[in-house]
Amino acid sequence: MRVKDIGGTLKRVARAGVALLTGLAVLAAGAVSAQAVQRDGLPGYWFNPANDGSGWFVSWHGSGLGPVRYEGDNPVYCLEAGIPVNNQGTWENASDQNSKIAAYMVNQHKGNRSDMTQAAVAYAIHDHLDRGNSHFRQLVDVGLEGADINAVRTLADQFWNDARANMPDHIQASYQYTQGKRKGTVNPGIQNVNGQWISGMPYTATIIGPATFDTTGTNTYSGITSGQEEHLAWTATGNGNVQVMIQHSTFTAQKLNSPGQDLFKRADPSTVSGSIQFEV
């Protein structure tokens, strides 16, 4: 049984417990909503104290915006602002579109540990992926200690939109003949979620059958997408069916389904493949 199946009840119990404690006790118990930011060198900012008027609250330095922790050089982020962390539960692969965009964004910025950058990444993840009993909107309303929440929001939107535009979403490969069926071109067709060509994505094209790429003289070509339709020239070396396999790597995501706070992290890259076939 997934932990999430019983998570609702446990989380309500946890919230009730938090409401009975003083702010100092909450902090001492480790029941911080996003993470202990700026503790042990973690980047980000503290939220100002907040409450919803019905028992939920976070005290001074009780909730922050930034990574929860690092696993090596891989940051881990909160998905439920305002819920106590217990680091229990099951990590599961996440293949929905927003999770893939977030994983791509995390990979783009994981090397920059400035407070503003990591707060913006965390904000974008909250904004697009938060679930369960998140209190993110209430925390945003009270703002940050030492930073402008609007500036963080603006940078978060920029990061998200950039990742959405540059993350490979699907392969729409195509071909055309240029000299009978003896010569032609292949377009790798790596596109984003909007069906636009993306730039900067390394890929490999492999011919299976009687043809070779003109630039290499072999059945393999490695390149980087240019942000526009590409034309990889090939020449037939015989007669028959030709298959062209396009492959590239993409980052995947994992989410922790927890009776406490759910978490998010970038997972190891996986290989995405697509192909086309034609006769020579």
Side-chain angles (χ1 to χ4, degrees):
M1 180 182 294
R2 292 176 57 193
V3 173
K4 199 64 175 180
D5 293 338
I6 60 172
T9 299
L10 292 175
K11 288 175 182 176
R12 287 192 295 272
V13 171
R15 289 181 64 195
V18 169
L20 293 173
L21 299 173
T22 65
L24 179 60
V26 170
L27 187 59
V32 295
S33 67
Q35 73 285 338
V37 179
Q38 297 174 334
R39 183 195 301 173
D40 298 328
L42 288 172
Y45 301 105
W46 293 110
F47 281 111
N48 290 318
N51 70 82
D52 66 358
S54 63
W56 171 86
F57 73 97
V58 292
S59 60
W60 199 260
H61 288 188
S63 174
L65 187 63
V68 175
R69 64 175 183 269
Y70 281 84
E71 297 179 352
D73 66 347
N74 193 31
V76 180
Y77 298 91
C78 164
L79 289 180
E80 285 185 294
I83 301 302
V85 181
N86 64 15
N87 292 311
Q88 298 177 3
T90 303
W91 283 100
E92 297 180 349
N93 293 331
S95 59
D96 60 283
Q97 188 177 98
N98 278 353
S99 292
K100 292 190 294 184
I101 292 172
Y104 188 90
M105 177 184 65
V106 169
N107 186 66
Q108 283 183 307
H109 302 290
K110 67 184 180 68
N112 186 336
R113 297 197 182 191
S114 71
D115 291 335
M116 178 61 76
T117 293
Q118 288 304 315
V121 172
Y123 188 107
I125 290 173
H126 278 301
D127 199 27
H128 294 275
L129 295 177
D130 254 21
R131 59 190 189 181
N133 297 313
S134 174
H135 293 273
F136 181 58
R137 298 303 168 194
Q138 289 140 317
L139 290 166
V140 167
D141 287 344
V142 299
L144 298 168
E145 176 187 330
D148 181 358
I149 191 66
N150 293 316
V152 174
R153 179 191 294 114
T154 297
L155 187 59
D157 290 343
Q158 176 185 322
F159 284 173
W160 186 268
N161 292 335
D162 181 68
R164 193 174 192 276
N166 290 288
M167 183 201 75
D169 182 72
H170 58 272
I171 296 175
Q172 191 68 40
S174 61
Y175 71 92
Q176 61 182 16
Y177 296 114
T178 58
Q179 184 179 318
K181 291 188 176 182
R182 307 313 295 166
K183 287 181 174 292
T185 61
V186 169
N187 174 28
I190 302 174
Q191 298 180 332
N192 66 13
V193 66
N194 296 321
Q196 300 167 320
W197 311 117
I198 65 172
S199 61
M201 174 57 60
Y203 69 90
T204 299
T206 303
I207 294 176
I208 304 170
T212 56
F213 289 111
D214 292 358
T215 54
T216 65
T218 69
N219 70 332
T220 302
Y221 174 87
S222 295
I224 299 176
T225 57
S226 62
Q228 57 189 357
E229 187 171 350
E230 300 176 64
H231 303 281
L232 310 181
W234 54 265
T235 298
T237 58
N239 300 307
N241 179 265
V242 170
Q243 179 182 18
V244 182
M245 179 76 68
I246 310 298
Q247 293 183 312
H248 67 82
S249 292
T250 188
F251 285 98
T252 57
Q254 289 187 322
K255 296 177 180 178
L256 178 70
N257 286 311
S258 173
Q261 183 189 96
D262 290 350
L263 302 176
F264 176 91
K265 66 180 178 181
R266 183 209 67 175
D268 291 335
S270 61
T271 299
V272 177
S273 301
S275 65
I276 52 170
Q277 297 186 50
F278 51 88
E279 297 292 323
V280 297

